[in-house]
Amino acid sequence: MANSPTPDVPSPSEAPAPVALTRERLRSGEIRALLHEHEPTIKTLSDEELAASQAAMFPGTGKPEGDVWLFGYGSLIWNPAIEFAEQRCATVRGLHRRFCLRTELGRGTPDQPGLVLGLDRGGVCRGVAFRIPREHAETELEIVWRREMVTHAYRPRWLKAQTDQGPIDVLGFVINRSGERYCGQLPEDEAAETIARTCGFLGPCCEYLFNTVSHLRDLGMPDAGLERLAGKVAAKQAAAKLGQGADGGLDVPRRSA
């Protein structure tokens, strides 16, 4: 029987230097410009559409009238890129974290799309709630919208969250199930294969997974499903390196500095 192909994992010398996702790059529109540079046909929301979407979350004035809690369940946990006054571990019920969104840009390419997380129906999700003071909320949320709502991949929603200090209302970004890049519940091996080998201008897809896993561990709320997936990704990468004549280990890498 022929051997199965191993994941195509570029060496550090082959992979281009990733672009850091910063508040400055989001606010200036540089990230949106990079999306168009890498995929000219991508449909992104205009500044006017982003502003209208944000205002719709605050009926009446269209602006926050108090502090706003933002719920992070993926990269927002380890790279919030916003200014905030407080953070709490928070639990949202009725939704769960899943690699259910294909990305042809940030963590993948049109030829080899990667995967990123979304909040999908059912279950429970433990993440981090960030409190943005009222006086900064409108400005900071503009940065969030330029990050999460650059396309129609997500839908903003107010969610009920439980924290050790009591219940709070949080703003979260739920997967748009009618979006063309929504891929639902992929077989775990297929997801691991994709995450192990794909890379985009923001960096390797596996880095996104490993950072999320290690930060959730550090916060004392490990995600069993992501831990299992990370183990499979690490194993596939190790097997690929061995197939190329290099040594490989099975440890899940810790987060980036």
Side-chain angles (χ1 to χ4, degrees), residues 13 17 20 30 33 36 54 86 91 107 115 119 133 165 176 192 196 200 223 231:
S13 60
E30 181 181 347
H36 283 285
Q54 181 177 328
E86 179 185 358
T91 301
R107 298 287 177 175
L115 291 168
L119 274 182
Q165 296 83 0
N176 178 6
D223 183 309

Side-chain angles (χ1 to χ4, degrees), residues 58-227:
F58 304 96
T61 65
K63 299 180 179 181
E65 297 182 353
D67 294 356
V68 175
W69 286 95
L70 174 68
F71 185 65
Y73 55 88
S75 62
L76 277 171
I77 294 176
W78 44 270
N79 181 24
I82 56 168
E83 295 179 355
F84 56 92
E86 179 185 358
Q87 71 178 66
R88 299 179 187 176
C89 293
T91 301
V92 169
R93 300 190 179 279
L95 295 163
H96 69 285
R97 180 174 29 229
R98 173 187 288 172
F99 276 92
C100 59
L101 180 64
R102 295 197 185 277
T103 173
E104 299 178 349
L105 296 168
R107 298 287 177 175
T109 66
D111 292 335
Q112 290 192 323
L115 291 168
V116 291
L117 291 165
L119 274 182
D120 209 350
R121 297 174 186 167
V124 175
C125 183
R126 294 191 294 174
V128 176
F130 301 94
R131 181 172 65 83
I132 309 172
R134 181 192 59 77
E135 59 268 27
H136 304 301
E138 185 177 10
T139 300
E140 295 304 308
L141 288 178
E142 287 175 1
I143 295 172
V144 175
W145 248 257
R146 286 177 177 269
R147 173 182 184 155
E148 305 296 339
M149 294 296 293
V150 67
T151 67
H152 289 287
Y154 299 105
R155 290 178 172 167
R157 278 179 51 188
W158 288 108
L159 308 170
K160 299 290 185 182
Q162 184 63 49
T163 73
D164 287 344
Q165 296 83 0
I168 55 175
D169 292 328
V170 296
L171 180 62
F173 291 87
V174 177
I175 195 69
N176 178 6
R177 281 179 153 238
S178 63
E180 61 183 14
R181 294 188 288 121
Y182 172 69
C183 54
Q185 184 173 2
L186 295 173
E188 195 170 74
D189 279 346
E190 179 182 342
E193 182 80 12
T194 297
I195 294 169
R197 62 181 169 77
T198 54
C199 183
F201 70 80
L202 291 178
C205 195
C206 63
E207 177 188 62
Y208 176 97
L209 168 61
F210 295 151
N211 277 345
T212 304
V213 166
S214 65
H215 276 75
L216 287 171
R217 284 179 189 165
D218 290 347
L219 290 166
M221 48 183 184
D223 183 309
L226 290 192
E227 292 274 355

